[in-house]
Amino acid sequence: MSPQRVVCALLALLAVQLHAVHAEDPYLFFTWNVSYGKIAPLGVPQKVIMINGQFPGPRINCSSNNNIVINVFNNLDEPFLLSWHGIQHRKNSWMDGVPGTNCPILPGKNFTYHWQPKDQIGSYYYFPSLGMQKAAGGYGGIRINSRLLIPVPFDPPSDDYHVLIGDWYTKSHKDLARLLDSGRSIARPAGILINGKSGKNADGKVDAPLFTMKAGKVYRYRVCNVGIRTSLNFRIQGHKMKLVEMDGSHTMQNVYESLDVHVGQCYSVLVTADKKPMDYYMVVSTRFMKEVQTAKAVIHYAGSNTPPSKVLPKVPTGWGWSLNQWRSFRWNLSASAARPNPQGSYHYGQINITRTIKLVNQRTKVGGKVRYAINGVSHVDTKTPLKLAEYFGIAEKTFEYNVIGDVPSAARVPAKISPNVINTEFRTFVEIVFENPEKAIQSYHLDGYSFFAAGMGPGTWTPQSRRTYNLLDTVSRHTIQVYPKSWTAIMLTFDNAGIWNLCSESWDRRHLGQQLYVSVISPACSLRDEYDIPTNALRCGNVLDLPLPPPYINN
């Protein structure tokens, strides 16, 4: 048993267990059956992952702090896990649903997730986290409403639509994984989907309208890029969009003609149906590719019989335009978050940085095959999930902490394939710099947290780059882009105990090692900081038959 668990055991024996009765937040219960289905969104019949026979899967419509209980039955012929993109799982990395925290749900088995969107609002999604399963679907939207009496900085819309956009491949997820594992590329996507459709059905005819608006009304569109590697530009023919929320934070309500939505990001816009009553195209196009791919969906004005114009709004070019758009995004400091206090009550720019971690992505070869690495280490998952190994006191038999340093090695050494886990001290304020020396855009996501993307710029980051930071009102979010041959700096307090995945949102790069895990341990061994392992937790690997460690103390 690890020294930390011994201390926890002693504290547990000495502690007086005090049990208080509290009114619980409302519960929402779901039963999801995960299975294969055959569809042809790009005209080519292919096998996809469906939930309850739906592609995309069912939308979760809940409110802040609701208890979400989802019993997932795996009817596939392979292990399966769902992860909840952007949900912070406060004190509860047990429900994060990634290989570093959870044993997979085996074929023919089930597992019940139980999580709360604690003090969260906004637009999110869920997806399969194992292998390349995300390329086969299995994803769906999550809408978290503000609680009653918590003011929202805009009037309720007439309707609220989730728009899941993403690149799409006609090769199966297993074929894509085999290509990558053999050292080959998965190449460019076959097309773009909007809520599982490309704009034309299997007969080549235009799809029925996806959305309906009534003249004079205002509508909310929650747009999430659920794809596996491609940044996308989103726009609506003839209409302006008022940005109101981004990755769970209310924003200043700037108006845009189009928005770049990078992989893993979610935006909410308000659209007023104030144009001539006819149908209009919602348009999604690829960014930063030599050949632009575009998908369309019809927005129908109620009572109209006029088809949309064939003239589509143009897609922006270059990443300089995209960088300038990012610079225009601002946090709404006067709006309430999920709690009565304003979002801007957290003065991140006034906190002393205790540690700077510089992470550099790398395309490399190991054994003649392409791998992707961070600071020279290409991550590989362990048979025993990292969180379970740490909790049961066998971390040293499973992985090594801090294989990488806070800065990449200056020497050119071959990349190493290894579990990539770093420690951070609980409740410290840390700066993380992502540096991208490659020609391809990067997108990174951190589970368990939101962070402040304080700065971006071309070239190599230096301490002088901090002079360009926005230290007042950059948007708090969970996924951020890093432009080619550029850097991005984020800041956050590591106050959510657990093990959390920091990964590339380019799924081919993630599959081949461009990810790591951050271990955040509370020294108090207290239920105040982290929940004990759930009673229904799946076990695998080296913890299969181990006795449970002593519970955390309740203080």
Side-chain angles (χ1 to χ4, degrees), residues 24-32 58-72 82 84 87 89 92 95 111-118 120 124 126 141-145 536:
E24 286 196 272
D25 291 293
Y27 277 73
L28 299 179
F29 293 93
F30 304 88
T31 298
W32 286 0
R59 182 168 77 164
I60 297 174
N61 185 359
C62 63
S63 297
S64 303
N65 298 358
N66 283 174
N67 286 276
I68 311 302
V69 182
I70 306 176
N71 194 358
V72 176
L82 281 174
W84 319 92
I87 304 302
H89 301 294
N92 194 20
M95 293 294 153
F111 175 70
T112 300
Y113 291 91
H114 179 189
W115 49 267
Q116 284 184 280
K118 195 71 176 173
Q120 288 188 263
Y124 307 89
Y126 58 86
I142 302 174
R143 165 183 166 183
I144 306 177
N145 306 296
N536 70 328

Side-chain angles (χ1 to χ4, degrees), residues 2-21:
S2 68
Q4 184 199 1
R5 300 304 307 183
V6 171
V7 172
C8 289
L10 292 173
L11 289 172
L13 289 172
L14 295 172
V16 177
Q17 300 296 312
L18 300 175
H19 298 279
V21 177

Side-chain angles (χ1 to χ4, degrees), residues 14-320:
L14 295 172
V16 177
Q17 300 296 312
L18 300 175
H19 298 279
V21 177
H22 299 284
E24 286 196 272
D25 291 293
Y27 277 73
L28 299 179
F29 293 93
F30 304 88
T31 298
W32 286 0
N33 286 285
V34 180
S35 63
Y36 297 120
K38 187 158 282 190
I39 60 172
L42 295 177
V44 179
Q46 61 185 118
K47 187 163 65 174
V48 301
I49 295 175
M50 294 185 168
I51 298 179
N52 291 352
Q54 301 177 44
F55 170 74
R59 182 168 77 164
I60 297 174
N61 185 359
C62 63
S63 297
S64 303
N65 298 358
N66 283 174
N67 286 276
I68 311 302
V69 182
I70 306 176
N71 194 358
V72 176
F73 289 83
N74 179 12
N75 300 305
L76 309 179
D77 61 3
E78 57 187 318
F80 185 77
L81 276 177
L82 281 174
S83 191
W84 319 92
H85 191 76
I87 304 302
Q88 294 178 12
H89 301 294
R90 302 296 298 180
K91 307 193 296 184
N92 194 20
S93 64
W94 304 109
M95 293 294 153
D96 200 27
V98 292
T101 59
N102 294 82
C103 296
I105 308 169
L106 298 179
K109 302 296 182 180
N110 70 298
F111 175 70
T112 300
Y113 291 91
H114 179 189
W115 49 267
Q116 284 184 280
K118 195 71 176 173
D119 292 334
Q120 288 188 263
I121 54 95
S123 312
Y124 307 89
Y125 65 89
Y126 58 86
F127 67 94
S129 64
L130 296 184
M132 292 296 289
Q133 288 177 348
K134 189 183 181 188
Y139 52 71
I142 302 174
R143 165 183 166 183
I144 306 177
N145 306 296
S146 294
R147 290 178 292 169
L148 296 177
L149 305 180
I150 303 297
V152 175
F154 50 87
D155 293 333
S158 293
D159 212 335
D160 192 313
Y161 297 125
H162 230 113
V163 187
L164 303 179
I165 61 177
D167 52 13
W168 189 255
Y169 289 75
T170 51
K171 291 185 176 69
S172 75
H173 66 284
K174 293 181 181 180
D175 286 341
L176 293 175
R178 279 192 285 267
L179 281 172
L180 292 170
D181 293 339
S182 69
R184 298 165 65 188
S185 167
I186 61 174
R188 63 195 296 258
I192 307 298
L193 299 187
I194 304 173
N195 282 3
K197 300 180 182 296
S198 64
K200 291 185 178 181
N201 60 28
D203 297 325
K205 297 180 180 179
V206 176
D207 281 324
L210 280 185
F211 309 103
T212 298
M213 300 197 299
K214 293 182 179 180
K217 302 294 185 180
V218 177
Y219 296 83
R220 181 173 183 170
Y221 290 88
R222 301 171 184 261
V223 186
C224 295
N225 187 339
V226 298
I228 64 169
R229 66 181 304 196
T230 308
S231 295
L232 299 172
N233 182 265
F234 176 86
R235 53 213 188 274
I236 296 176
Q237 197 177 46
H239 292 72
K240 301 283 180 86
M241 302 179 294
K242 182 184 289 186
L243 182 66
V244 295
E245 177 252 333
M246 179 188 303
D247 286 356
S249 291
H250 293 305
T251 63
M252 295 300 292
Q253 296 178 12
N254 297 330
V255 175
Y256 299 90
E257 292 183 352
S258 72
L259 286 166
D260 274 358
V261 188
H262 305 283
V263 186
Q265 296 179 348
C266 292
Y267 293 72
S268 277
V269 296
L270 297 180
V271 177
T272 302
D274 57 358
K275 303 304 178 185
K276 177 184 175 181
M278 58 181 289
D279 290 353
Y280 294 86
Y281 279 128
M282 173 183 290
V283 187
V284 178
S285 300
T286 57
R287 293 283 273 125
F288 320 118
M289 291 174 57
K290 289 182 180 179
E291 184 178 334
V292 176
Q293 296 175 301
T294 295
K296 307 185 297 289
V298 174
I299 298 177
H300 176 66
Y301 265 58
S304 165
N305 294 314
T306 306
S309 168
K310 294 181 179 180
V311 179
L312 301 181
K314 293 182 179 180
V315 61
T317 58
W319 62 266

Side-chain angles (χ1 to χ4, degrees), residues 321-343:
W321 182 95
S322 186
L323 174 60
N324 286 332
Q325 183 174 82
W326 172 80
R327 287 173 173 156
S328 73
F329 299 150
R330 292 289 185 269
W331 213 21
N332 189 337
L333 300 183
S334 62
S336 294
R339 303 169 302 283
N341 55 303
Q343 293 181 141

